[in-house]
Amino acid sequence: MGSIRRHESKGTLFIDFRHAGQRLREYTSLADNAANRKRLQKALDRVEAEIALGTFDYQKTFGKPLPSSQPVSDAAAEEDTPELQRNPMSRTGTPTFKEFADMWFSESEVSWRRSYKVTQRGSIDQYLIPYFGEKEVGQITKADVLAFRATLAKVTTRKSQSTLSNRRINSVMKPLRQILNEAADRLEFTSAFRNIKPLKMKRSDVMPFTLDEVQQILTTVRADYRQYFTVRFFTGMRTGEAHGLKWKYIDFERRLILVREAIVLKEEDELKTDGSVRDIQMNDLVFDALQAQFKVTGKTSEFVFCNRNGTPIDNQNFLNRVWSPLLRHLDIPHRRAYQMRHTAATLWLASGEAPEWIARQLGHTSTEMLFRVYSRYVPNLTRRDGSAMERLLKQHISVAPVQGSVIRLLEEAQTVELVEHERTPGVQPNESDAPAGGDQASALYASTASHQHAADTAKGEAHSNKPPVEVLFPRSAARRKHATKAQSLSPLSSLRSATSAERSPQD
């Protein structure tokens, strides 16, 4: 395991590492500070990674041939280095990796779910112990860890004959990191997992079904699975949650599904997270589907969805005999059954449900994952992104030219309102023109408008020759509420009292 060290006489940094059976030192002119140490550490990490992969070229990296021998022996070098500056990267006399891994597992499993125990034990027995088993845990180096990860990348799977995914490699490396870090803490040496970051993983594909595809599936699927698909599509339940759903968790009176258990690896287990414990509200489709399902399995099994023996649905059997053949028959691109959960989330978002409510229905503790994973699919479902704004503008905004006179009302805000009058010049309003119900303020307002029009006509200003008048909208929220009534002959209700109190018909 290499290290970044300081040259005492010059105060500069150098790289100390091993390669081809030799201990090598590469000196630099960089001063000893945090920035330079970080820079050299990156270079050292790259060198050690290439050494682990067998692709390291000393001459290409440092611009000089590899020395044939080291002028100073390792023992002498260690003696010349002060004790505080020695890098305790490894330690002898420690337990073997297998011994320490078994001890670590027995101490940690008490806090794990059953399914997590199975996956962790599988990674240790299948990958870690065969590679590190008889090696002392204190002698495992960073180069060993990187070399092990490189071998994982070449392992092929049994079914598809493809190599392990980055996600799977990271899941195998996780217990290795925990074991080495715990050993380093207890036995007082530096962990070989220092500064090793997980591999980058591709974003999981989210391919929700369209409403047309959902309709096709529900009308085509086998009758004994129609209720199952309805619940999966419109509740967002995970596969294990749906398979582990029991009738005691169905509350028809309050129309709630209580999510409390799950089927994981063919056995009943706890839920994935504490946030997964939740109550899902039933819509009408789900309510009717569960009532129909109760007539089938309510008296014969404690599980809502089960096989003929009353036991939970076997997920692999469902995928092979129901899910995959159904998609092929409908000519729908194949995807995981988990996409039914994604479909429920996108449908809720597209219908305008509150994000906080959707997160609770899905078992998320916050809306962060909701927006990161699902929100980009909402425009595809609504088909016209921004249509809500367009509907609002059509209801309240008009670009048609407006003709009429401007009447200024003597009010506190000195707002201006438009009064449209298309009456024949010189004709006075009669009783038939008055609003029904004896609205005196409206009649007074119409009389005021008519008198003003007659005065304009007397001055020789023809109404038809008047240019369009700019409309000034009121500032108060109460007036904005009634702004659309400006096109009618009746006045704004909010101005009636002011009109009757402050204005009188002109003689």
Side-chain angles (χ1 to χ4, degrees):
M1 181 68 68
S3 62
I4 307 300
R5 301 177 59 183
R6 183 176 185 271
H7 195 287
E8 289 301 318
S9 60
K10 297 182 179 180
T12 56
L13 298 174
F14 66 92
I15 300 175
D16 188 354
F17 67 101
R18 288 183 175 275
H19 172 59
Q22 301 183 49
R23 182 174 181 179
L24 304 173
R25 294 185 181 89
E26 298 300 327
Y27 294 90
T28 72
S29 59
L30 300 176
D32 186 4
N33 56 50
N36 289 336
R37 281 183 174 271
K38 183 177 180 180
R39 178 182 174 185
L40 286 181
Q41 186 62 54
K42 290 183 178 180
L44 178 60
D45 291 343
R46 185 169 61 252
V47 168
E48 292 188 326
E50 292 177 357
I51 293 175
L53 295 173
T55 60
F56 177 66
D57 187 332
Y58 181 89
Q59 184 169 0
K60 182 178 179 181
T61 303
F62 296 107
K64 58 183 179 181
L66 179 68
S68 58
S69 61
Q70 193 72 3
V72 182
S73 66
D74 292 348
E78 288 297 326
E79 291 177 358
D80 294 341
T81 304
E83 181 65 26
L84 292 177
Q85 293 184 8
R86 292 179 187 174
N87 194 2
M89 303 304 292
S90 62
R91 179 174 174 178
T92 58
T94 56
T96 64
F97 179 86
K98 183 180 184 304
E99 294 172 344
F100 193 87
D102 290 339
M103 179 181 65
W104 170 83
F105 183 86
S106 62
E107 293 174 349
S108 303
E109 65 176 338
V110 294
S111 61
W112 295 340
R113 295 181 295 120
R114 184 195 64 85
S115 58
Y116 190 74
K117 295 178 188 177
V118 174
T119 56
Q120 293 292 84
R121 188 73 249 182
S123 296
I124 293 173
D125 293 341
Q126 184 177 357
Y127 297 107
L128 301 184
I129 290 181
Y131 193 92
F132 296 105
E134 300 305 321
K135 192 169 187 176
E136 289 189 17
V137 68
Q139 292 295 309
I140 297 175
T141 65
K142 186 175 183 178
D144 295 332
V145 174
L146 294 174
F148 169 68
R149 189 170 70 176
T151 61
L152 288 179
K154 301 175 183 177
V155 175
T156 57
T157 59
R158 290 178 296 177
K159 294 183 179 180
S160 61
Q161 294 300 315
S162 60
T163 57
L164 297 179
S165 65
N166 286 0
R167 181 182 297 275
R168 177 57 178 154
I169 293 175
N170 288 340
S171 68
V172 174
M173 298 294 289
K174 182 179 180 180
L176 176 61
R177 173 178 57 83
Q178 294 173 325
I179 292 170
L180 294 180
N181 289 347
E182 182 64 24
D185 288 342
R186 294 191 186 189
L187 304 176
E188 298 182 351
F189 62 88
T190 302
S191 173
F193 222 100
R194 180 176 56 88
N195 295 331
I196 296 180
K197 297 181 180 179
L199 299 176
K200 292 184 178 180
M201 297 182 296
K202 292 182 179 180
R203 216 171 158 179
S204 57
D205 292 333
V206 177
M207 299 173 60
F209 293 89
T210 64
L211 286 175
D212 291 339
E213 291 173 336
V214 173
Q215 180 66 31
Q216 282 184 283
I217 291 173
L218 293 180
T219 55
T220 309
V221 70
R222 289 165 38 180
D224 55 337
Y225 271 93
R226 185 166 293 117
Q227 285 75 32
Y228 170 82
F229 275 83
T230 301
V231 172
R232 290 292 302 272
F233 271 123
F234 303 123
T235 63
M237 296 181 71
R238 299 180 177 95
T239 301
E241 295 170 348
H243 292 180
L245 183 61
K246 298 179 179 179
W247 285 115
K248 66 179 180 180
Y249 298 130
I250 302 297
D251 189 339
F252 285 114
E253 183 177 351
R254 294 188 298 163
R255 298 172 74 101
L256 292 177
I257 299 175
L258 313 181
V259 183
R260 299 294 184 270
E261 298 179 23
I263 296 294
V264 184
L265 300 178
K266 300 182 180 182
E267 294 186 22
E268 297 181 42
D269 201 352
E270 300 175 5
L271 296 176
K272 181 178 180 181
T273 62
D274 293 338
S276 298
V277 179
R278 63 196 187 278
D279 299 342
I280 300 177
Q281 296 182 18
M282 303 182 200
N283 56 37
D284 290 340
L285 287 174
V286 174
F287 182 81
D288 294 341
L290 287 176
Q291 284 193 323
Q293 184 68 17
F294 184 79
K295 297 177 182 179
V296 179
T297 62
K299 304 296 183 182
T300 59
S301 174
E302 64 174 332
F303 293 98
V304 176
F305 304 109
C306 58
N307 55 27
R308 295 178 181 178
N309 299 326
T311 57
I313 295 175
D314 181 87
N315 188 53
Q316 196 60 44
N317 183 68
F318 163 73
L319 296 176
N320 294 337
R321 298 192 175 187
V322 180
W323 179 254
S324 296
L326 177 62
L327 295 186
R328 285 196 302 269
H329 173 71
L330 295 175
D331 197 23
I332 295 176
H334 188 273
R335 62 201 76 177
R336 297 171 56 206
Y338 199 83
Q339 299 297 335
M340 288 189 281
R341 172 175 166 86
H342 296 324
T343 302
T346 54
L347 290 177
W348 278 326
L349 283 170
S351 60
E353 298 289 357
E356 293 80 6
W357 180 86
I358 299 175
R360 290 195 300 270
Q361 296 293 101
L362 294 173
H364 297 162
T365 55
S366 69
T367 60
E368 178 184 357
M369 179 177 290
L370 187 70
F371 287 118
R372 186 177 70 249
V373 177
Y374 302 114
S375 61
R376 60 197 177 104
Y377 289 94
V378 174
N380 292 337
L381 292 173
T382 58
R383 297 186 181 276
R384 292 188 64 192
D385 193 23
S387 59
M389 171 67 78
E390 185 171 350
R391 289 194 299 269
L392 179 66
L393 295 178
K394 286 184 177 180
Q395 292 174 2
H396 297 280
I397 301 298
S398 175
V399 295
V402 181
Q403 294 183 352
S405 302
V406 174
I407 294 182
R408 294 187 177 276
L409 303 179
L410 301 177
E411 292 187 334
E412 179 180 352
Q414 291 296 315
T415 59
V416 180
E417 291 292 342
L418 171 68
V419 178
E420 290 188 354
H421 47 85
E422 300 295 341
R423 302 182 184 277
T424 305
V427 178
Q428 297 293 335
N430 51 35
E431 293 182 358
S432 62
D433 298 327
D439 191 335
Q440 297 180 359
S442 297
L444 182 59
Y445 188 92
S447 176
T448 303
S450 178
H451 185 86
Q452 178 67 37
H453 178 71
D456 293 340
T457 305
K459 295 178 182 180
E461 298 176 1
H463 178 67
S464 59
N465 296 329
K466 288 185 178 182
V469 182
E470 181 183 1
V471 180
L472 303 180
F473 292 89
R475 299 177 183 175
S476 65
R479 284 169 170 72
R480 286 197 302 271
K481 182 178 179 181
H482 303 283
T484 56
K485 294 185 178 181
Q487 297 179 0
S488 63
L489 290 176
S490 59
L492 298 176
S493 58
S494 60
L495 300 179
R496 288 175 178 171
S497 60
T499 303
S500 59
E502 298 182 9
R503 298 185 63 87
S504 61
Q506 299 180 12
D507 297 333

